[in-house]
Amino acid sequence: MKKFTSVSDIKNLQEIIKKALQIKENPNSEPEKGKGKTIGLVFLNSSLRTRLSSQIAAQNLGLNVLTLNAAQEAWNLEFADGAVMNGDTVEHIKDAIEVLNQYCDIIAVRCFAGMKSKEDDVNESILSQFEQHAKVPVVSLESATRHPLQSLADCITITENWKEEHKPKVVLTWAPHIKPIAQAVGNSFAEWMQEMDVDFVIANPEGYDLDKNFTKNIKVIHNQDEALKDADFIYVKNWSSFDEYAAMPEVKENWMLTGEKLENTNHAKVMHCLPVRRNVELSDQVMDGENSIIYEQAKNRIFSAQAVFSEILDELNSK
């Protein structure tokens, strides 16, 4: 693996899921693989699970870990090509990346959608610069349009929680929120589910359809109760409008996931990437109930990251 920014960077999804589950059984099975190499974790946005799971995964492989909270600790960065830097920005992203090239064998970056320019976000205005200027493998710790390490963890979680013969029905359901949220998790989950052997549907209100470049021909249902019927897994996530970019069209129905709504399912397991706004996106009853596998899902972030880092190190060590 030469980089990791989407599911297209995975040669065989089932093989990397299998590898991640093997790592989960023995996280310290490759303690020397990253010896003498450094990974730089660059955070332009807030993080809890991504930061900690990536650090644990890298340390389990013997990597030296550098963590930079760039939004708080680095110079104000300039991202525009050809910018005359006579204002608040002090260092151009191209120069920062070139320095990271000197210090790191792998660069991992977290850069959310700006939610101001649809064109900038769709074109990955920040991540694309890392991919363009980095001379070492780049790993996305979430970008404007995708969250691939989360999606791999989601695939791992579904795989280990499904033992039946038939395909599981997986529903990605929109949830309410108090502010506009990017589509990255929803986009990414939809993209990865198309590579899994599942019956997958998306439920969201009118006006909240995700980008067709990610959902392709996936069935989208605008009635939550209809979508949840006989579901085996429910993934709860909010996102703002894509067509009316970053807007929050009015929703009159109650889309918060409750215990009552679970009664219509096949005793569905409930997933959420966290952080979650309790009693807005889903109820305490669901969050703390026996159907929730949300914390297990969070733990699997370690093993998704470790599987990816291990694959990248295999490529680096082969040179």
Side-chain angles (χ1 to χ4, degrees), residues 1-190:
M1 189 186 298
K2 296 182 178 179
K3 67 182 182 74
F4 183 76
T5 61
S6 76
V7 70
S8 63
D9 295 316
I10 299 291
K11 290 181 180 179
N12 186 312
L13 177 54
Q14 290 305 314
E15 283 299 315
I16 200 164
I17 291 172
K18 181 180 178 181
K19 177 170 185 169
L21 289 171
Q22 289 172 342
I23 290 170
K24 188 172 184 176
E25 292 180 3
N26 185 5
N28 297 306
S29 59
E30 300 178 307
E32 300 291 317
K33 180 173 273 193
K35 186 176 181 180
K37 290 185 170 58
T38 297
I39 184 169
L41 306 178
V42 181
F43 291 89
L44 295 168
N45 299 99
S46 301
S47 179
L48 190 155
R49 280 147 297 278
T50 299
R51 180 190 309 271
L52 299 182
S53 62
S54 298
Q55 289 177 339
I56 294 168
Q59 289 165 356
N60 286 345
L61 292 165
L63 280 160
N64 180 39
V65 183
L66 301 178
T67 302
L68 176 64
N69 301 311
Q72 293 84 33
E73 299 170 352
W75 299 110
N76 288 342
L77 293 169
E78 176 62 60
F79 297 97
D81 283 336
V84 177
M85 292 173 56
N86 58 358
D88 293 337
T89 56
V90 177
E91 183 161 32
H92 200 283
I93 189 63
K94 291 191 290 187
D95 302 322
I97 295 169
E98 186 55 50
V99 171
L100 289 168
N101 284 330
Q102 314 305 313
Y103 298 162
C104 304
D105 299 283
I106 304 170
I107 298 172
V109 59
R110 184 175 178 92
C111 48
F112 289 172
M115 304 293 286
K116 295 179 180 179
S117 167
K118 183 176 184 177
E119 181 180 4
D120 283 351
D121 289 345
V122 167
N123 292 325
E124 294 283 9
S125 61
I126 298 177
L127 180 63
S128 63
Q129 295 203 52
F130 277 85
E131 293 190 89
Q132 179 183 352
H133 300 296
K135 295 170 183 169
V136 300
V138 171
V139 175
S140 171
L141 302 177
E142 188 172 2
S143 67
T145 64
R146 293 180 173 96
H147 197 348
L149 283 177
Q150 177 66 57
S151 297
L152 177 53
D154 300 336
C155 293
I156 295 164
T157 305
I158 290 171
T159 298
E160 65 180 345
N161 279 278
W162 188 249
K163 307 302 180 186
E164 305 294 331
E165 293 288 335
H166 64 279
K167 291 182 182 181
K169 180 179 178 181
V170 181
V171 180
L172 170 63
T173 182
W174 181 92
H177 208 283
I178 65 166
K179 65 179 182 179
I181 300 293
Q183 299 92 25
V185 172
N187 288 343
S188 197
F189 188 69

